[in-house]
Structures are given as C-alpha cells and as structure tokens.
Amino acid sequence: RIRTVHAFIMGQSQSAEIPIANPAPPAVPSTTPLANEVTLGAGCYWGTEKYIVKDFQKLFPNAVKSASVGFMSPAKDHQKNPSYRQVCSGATGHVEVLHLTLSEPEKHYEELIRFFFMFHDPTTKNRQGNDVGSQYSSFIFTHSDSQRVVAERVVRELQGHISRGTLSSFEGTEVKTKIGEATVFYPATEDHQNYLAKNPGGYCNHYMRFKAWPLA
C-alpha cells in the first residue's frame, strides 16, 4: 500500500509517496461461545454423577438441565457402542464419563470444572483409589474452543495451588488430567443411570477433598 505525505521543507510544500504496512485485520475472537454440553471423566461414573447432579446443584440450583452416565473415547476412530464389560476391560480406550447439559454455561462451566477437581484425585494417572485402568482417567472432554481455554486455565490454577502447597489433598503433586476434544457419547444402560440415587449404599470412592477453591 502507498500513502502520499505532504510536508513543508524550507518554505516549500513537497510531497512524497511512502510505502506503509497494510493495516492489521480486525481482531478475531480466540474462542467460540461456551457450549452447554459438558463431558467429564473422574473415575467411576456413579460417583461423578452423584457429586455433580446432586452436590454441585446444592451450590448452583438448576445448573444442570440433563445428565447421563456413559462412555467416551479420546480417539475419533474408536469402537462403536461399547458395552460396560468391554470398557471395563480397558481394551476399547473409552473413559467412564458423565455427559450433561448446563442451563447457563457462561455462569456455571468454570465453577463446574473447579468443583470437578474437588471430589476426585487428578494426580493419579488412570486410577481413582482402587479403580485402575484408562477407563478411570481424569478427563475433560471439550465441546468448544472456549471450554478448552477455561479447562486449561483451571488446570494451571490447580497445579499452582498444589505446587505452592495451598492444596495438599491429593496423592501426587502433578495434575494428570487430560483435556481433549469430545467425540461420540455412548450412554450406559438404564440400570447404571442415577445408580447411587437408586442405591444409596452403592459403591463410590469419591469424596470432597477440600471445601472451597483457594483464592490465591
């Protein structure tokens, strides 16, 4: 691009053509709107469902519009419609997850990701307590770029708190939670939905590891 500049030099008006850089394009937002679908793996999905559907909503009433437990694979080329037994074998690569829809993701998504880290151990790779295998991974499947940005920021915050000793509620000292793009969600059978609501004494190795997210 060429721009003409006029100037007065020694009492005379002169002009010159000066090349200048093209103007920068308008800024493009780095993220998309927060999706209302959320998929989280935190070990056995019975406990994940209970803590989010019941306990998270004690803090944020009506935050969850719908929720279902099931399976999701990090790989796009994965076995379709795996059974519970197949997933538990660890051979399919699927993760036990809670798949939910938020009523107001802009208000609740970041709060949910923080709460997610409060009831499971993100420092034990492919394990929660006695449950061992990739199906029990700590995993955040993202449904939009903005979800990924938020998840990565919260993970950095959490790692900072662990490294500084602000939080000492976990077995390890390095966050092993994986963040990956969501693929296909496969619902579990009906008898596994709302399992702990139907069976209050059922198996659950989750518990609240700390009561509030540290401020600094």
Side-chain angles (χ1 to χ4, degrees), residues 117 120-132 158-159 162 167-176 205 207 209-210:
F117 287 119
H120 84 289
D121 191 340
T123 69
T124 52
K125 184 177 180 180
N126 296 336
R127 178 170 67 84
Q128 288 297 310
N130 295 325
D131 294 333
V132 181
L158 179 64
Q159 183 61 65
I162 295 172
L167 288 176
S168 56
S169 311
F170 306 121
E171 182 175 320
T173 57
E174 182 180 349
V175 177
K176 302 292 187 180
N205 66 9
Y207 61 92
R209 294 168 185 271
F210 54 99

Side-chain angles (χ1 to χ4, degrees), residues 67-86:
S68 180
V69 299
F71 318 106
M72 184 172 285
S73 171
K76 293 183 178 180
D77 182 17
H78 57 260
Q79 179 179 330
K80 313 303 185 209
N81 296 305
S83 69
Y84 179 70
R85 287 186 178 277
Q86 288 173 327

Side-chain angles (χ1 to χ4, degrees), residues 164-212:
R164 291 191 299 272
T166 312
L167 288 176
S168 56
S169 311
F170 306 121
E171 182 175 320
T173 57
E174 182 180 349
V175 177
K176 302 292 187 180
T177 302
K178 300 173 185 176
I179 300 173
E181 187 176 346
T183 58
V184 179
F185 171 68
Y186 298 100
T189 53
E190 182 57 34
D191 59 318
H192 280 215
Q193 306 295 335
N194 299 306
Y195 184 83
L196 291 178
K198 300 172 188 172
N199 304 276
Y203 174 75
C204 178
N205 66 9
H206 295 93
Y207 61 92
M208 294 302 294
R209 294 168 185 271
F210 54 99
K211 293 182 179 180

Side-chain angles (χ1 to χ4, degrees), residues 46 48 52 95 117 119 132 138 170 180 185:
W46 295 337
T48 308
I52 291 178
V95 179
F117 287 119
F119 68 82
V132 181
S138 175
F170 306 121
F185 171 68

